[in-house]
Amino acid sequence: MNKLTSYTIKEIHKSFCDKLLTPTSFVDLCIQRARQTKELNAFINITNEEAENHAIESEKRVYVEKKSKPLDGITIAIKDNFCTKNIQTTCASNMLKNFVPTYDATVYSRLIDSGACLVGKSNLDEFAMGSGTVDSIFGPTRNPWCYSEDWRISGGSSGGSAVAVASGACVAAIGSDTGGSTRNPAALCGVVGLKPTYGLVSRYGLIPLVNSMDVPGILARNIDDLTIILNCVAGPDILDSTTIKKEFKTIKINKDIDLSKIKIGIPSEYYCEGMSEDVLDVWRSVTDLLENEKCQVSTVSLPHTSVSIAVYSILNQCEVASNMARYDGLEYGLRASEDYSTEELYASTRSEGFNNVVRSRIFAGNYFLLTRNYEKYFLKALKLRRLIADDFKKVFHGDNSVNLLLTPTTLSDAPLYKDFTSKHNREQCAFQDYCTQPANMAGIPAISIPIRLSNNNLPLSIQLMGPMLSEELMLNVAKKIETMVNFPSLEV
Ligand code: GLN
């Protein structure tokens, strides 16, 4: 059974060939695991019927037609802010509790077209606003590395996706990443989490949080699996005008990458207050590992990092204020019974439909966008965002440039639920997203890789960031790190 938390796509496909497993028997095992681990609350909805139907199709292709697809029989979970046709899509919010989309998100349809089997829709913070998966109307998601009464958060907002992968209920999962929501839970749950270059993977059907930063993210247990999934979902999409038009070239993992040709930068501004000793130690030890492999490591500077959290927060709230205007009780989603006037209907629908976090972001966003504040906050934040992106351009393309940056993903291992929730959402995010949100503002790719367990026996990870469309290099270096550190899979 332990194998469920360590199986690779390659091994599963080999087991199909050897008839040790079949797509339907494997899907059954994963559904069973999802049910056995129900107390982790990774899933909002376990989609056993879809999974079984997808598995039957895979079984036909594998054994009868002998024309397998790259993800035949591979179980996946999709964060519940991606539209799935005829399957309830809630964003973990009362507002969309009964919403059943009439169309599929592109990432989902590409995965299914590649043979994947949908095990379930995974839990998240309401509308993906958070870093803990603690603010869902379906309750928080627990970290599978700690089963004690004093339990730990899974990270977020794609905590359900990370837990589903770590606990063996599926092989890979899709999250969304606006400020770190894929990398953060990946780091706290000991799986790999990729935030691709903005526009590399279609956002069509991803219910928007911050359109200018949102990207679908991928969570998997190892780099090879993650790369296979990325190769299935990436590339232009006529349904999303912000996708990069250039043809996507399949990414290859080359076992013998020569690290002596790679320059790694360590941004000095990422040493920050509150970073735990464990995290610092992991950061140092991975730096040492890379140096031992003859990587050229140097300290670099990203001078605008200190304002990044504030800028992210302002821009996030402004886009949220505009995005959430679609939930008015008229077109779809919740409709409050209070309809004395249109204004009354809007107000009561939104106060019943949204939690405090969503409401306060709408409120703050509208404040920043008032004519008298626009220049002072929104415009200023946009200018600073450009400077943050330029910092990255300089280190990747200027004098003494580096190929990749190495930083921690989170400032600590998974916090206790009770400690985490004693803080306001804004404070939680300011701490949790410190190392992750700059990549979203610059649009560059970033990946979190698990390294070792902390003194609390919880996963610790590091992050690589690279220039636009450097996924191939980043994944190859990540693979090398993965091989050197040999992170354990979860014992269940
Ligand atoms: N914690 C951040 C926020 O709440 C990031 C969320 C995300 O990436 N979806 O905005």
Side-chain angles (χ1 to χ4, degrees):
M1 247 351 212
N2 261 351
K3 280 197 157 174
L4 274 186
T5 58
S6 64
Y7 263 140
T8 64
I9 294 180
K10 208 166 150 196
E11 285 164 357
I12 297 165
H13 281 166
K14 174 144 192 331
S15 299
F16 291 166
C17 288
D18 301 343
K19 302 255 176 84
L20 296 169
L21 282 173
T22 64
T24 51
S25 70
F26 181 62
V27 161
D28 280 349
L29 283 177
C30 292
I31 297 277
Q32 263 177 43
R33 171 55 57 82
R35 290 190 173 133
Q36 279 161 5
T37 52
K38 231 174 160 165
E39 74 280 8
L40 296 172
N41 205 19
F43 292 99
I44 288 176
N45 182 9
I46 299 176
T47 52
N48 45 305
E49 257 178 51
E50 280 75 13
E52 281 153 20
N53 291 338
H54 294 148
I56 291 169
E57 295 296 312
S58 284
E59 201 132 316
K60 250 196 263 160
R61 281 190 294 267
V62 174
Y63 297 121
V64 183
E65 296 163 12
K66 307 231 182 271
K67 256 195 187 162
S68 295
K69 292 186 171 186
L71 296 179
D72 263 329
I74 298 305
T75 47
I76 52 155
I78 306 272
K79 188 176 181 178
D80 209 22
N81 58 350
F82 284 87
C83 289
T84 41
K85 189 174 170 181
N86 297 334
I87 305 171
Q88 180 198 30
T89 297
T90 67
C91 281
S93 172
N94 273 324
M95 186 59 87
L96 293 179
K97 202 167 149 195
N98 300 312
F99 174 58
V100 181
T102 51
Y103 64 97
D104 283 329
T106 296
V107 267
Y108 175 63
S109 56
R110 287 190 182 176
L111 288 171
I112 298 305
D113 289 348
S114 308
C117 307
L118 181 71
V119 167
K121 299 295 296 283
S122 46
N123 202 8
L124 65 154
D125 289 297
E126 189 162 329
F127 281 97
M129 296 186 201
S131 305
T133 315
V134 295
D135 285 322
S136 155
I137 58 159
F138 303 101
T141 296
R142 290 179 178 223
N143 194 305
W145 288 85
C146 168
Y147 264 92
S148 72
E149 237 170 64
D150 245 1
W151 57 278
R152 308 238 169 201
I153 63 160
S154 59
S157 62
S158 315
S161 295
V163 172
V165 173
S167 61
C170 58
V171 176
I174 296 297
S176 61
D177 198 312
T178 306
S181 276
T182 294
R183 289 159 285 156
N184 175 287
L188 301 189
C189 294
V191 296
V192 281
L194 172 75
K195 173 228 171 283
T197 300
Y198 182 83
L200 184 65
V201 180
S202 170
R203 289 185 295 117
Y204 179 73
L206 164 60
I207 296 175
L209 172 59
V210 180
N211 307 45
S212 71
M213 300 180 204
D214 293 342
V215 278
I218 303 171
L219 300 109
R221 287 190 293 262
N222 58 72
I223 298 294
D224 286 338
D225 288 1
L226 191 144
T227 308
I228 294 172
I229 302 282
L230 179 65
N231 283 335
C232 292
V233 297
D237 178 15
I238 45 164
L239 298 172
D240 174 1
S241 61
T242 60
T243 48
I244 295 165
K245 306 290 174 295
K246 212 169 95 186
E247 192 198 340
F248 171 73
K249 279 231 226 66
T250 304
I251 290 176
K252 295 204 175 72
I253 300 295
N254 159 21
K255 286 208 175 61
D256 305 312
I257 177 177
D258 178 4
L259 287 183
S260 70
K261 300 210 165 62
I262 311 289
K263 292 186 215 147
I264 302 276
I266 309 289
S268 52
E269 292 80 4
Y270 279 61
Y271 287 95
C272 71
E273 219 187 290
M275 192 173 276
S276 78
E277 268 310 310
D278 262 346
V279 168
L280 276 171
D281 180 67
V282 160
W283 195 10
R284 272 186 229 116
S285 64
V286 176
T287 309
D288 289 347
L289 268 182
L290 291 171
E291 269 185 328
N292 289 344
E293 291 295 308
K294 310 268 176 308
C295 245
Q296 303 164 49
V297 182
S298 58
T299 303
V300 297
S301 175
L302 298 165
H304 296 92
T305 306
S306 58
V307 295
S308 196
I309 277 283
V311 171
Y312 170 80
S313 167
I314 293 171
L315 295 176
N316 179 304
Q317 294 174 91
C318 291
E319 289 199 40
V320 163
S322 130
N323 267 326
M324 296 292 145
R326 77 191 69 200
Y327 304 104
D328 54 12
L330 295 175
E331 283 148 289
Y332 44 77
L334 182 82
R335 174 178 295 195
S337 53
E338 194 66 68
D339 57 359
Y340 172 74
S341 67
T342 313
E343 283 72 24
E344 194 99 18
L345 174 68
Y346 286 3
S348 46
T349 298
R350 288 176 187 151
S351 66
E352 281 171 38
F354 294 138
N355 68 3
N356 278 338
V357 176
V358 180
R359 284 202 303 266
S360 67
R361 289 197 193 189
I362 295 174
F363 198 66
N366 281 317
Y367 174 82
F368 295 137
L369 292 170
L370 288 175
T371 314
R372 68 168 195 272
N373 292 333
Y374 187 84
E375 231 170 274
K376 204 156 109 199
Y377 296 105
F378 185 61
L379 219 53
K380 200 182 231 173
L382 280 181
K383 287 179 185 162
L384 284 163
R385 178 182 185 174
R386 173 59 60 89
L387 294 177
I388 292 163
D390 285 350
D391 282 353
F392 284 108
K393 271 198 198 133
K394 278 181 206 144
V395 297
F396 291 133
H397 306 292
D399 298 341
N400 304 319
S401 65
V402 296
N403 303 107
L404 296 170
L405 295 169
L406 177 75
T407 74
T409 313
T410 55
L411 306 190
S412 69
D413 56 11
L416 287 167
Y417 175 75
K418 64 169 197 264
D419 293 345
F420 189 74
T421 48
S422 68
K423 296 188 195 102
H424 185 270
N425 172 276
R426 195 165 300 136
E427 228 183 307
Q428 294 166 0
C429 291
F431 189 73
Q432 288 290 329
D433 305 344
Y434 185 85
C435 298
T436 51
Q437 43 71 35
N440 297 75
M441 290 208 283
I444 58 173
I447 189 166
S448 177
I449 312 154
I451 302 298
R452 71 163 172 84
L453 294 178
S454 68
N455 294 333
N456 299 321
N457 241 352
L458 295 164
L460 290 165
S461 305
I462 54 105
Q463 172 178 244
L464 289 175
M465 293 185 270
M468 295 277 193
L469 295 176
S470 63
E471 275 82 356
E472 183 151 74
L473 174 71
M474 212 171 69
L475 287 164
N476 271 290
V477 174
K479 168 80 184 178
K480 193 85 183 181
I481 295 174
E482 177 183 83
T483 315
M484 291 191 284
V485 299
N486 200 14
F487 183 77
S489 50
L490 183 70
E491 295 278 336
V492 281

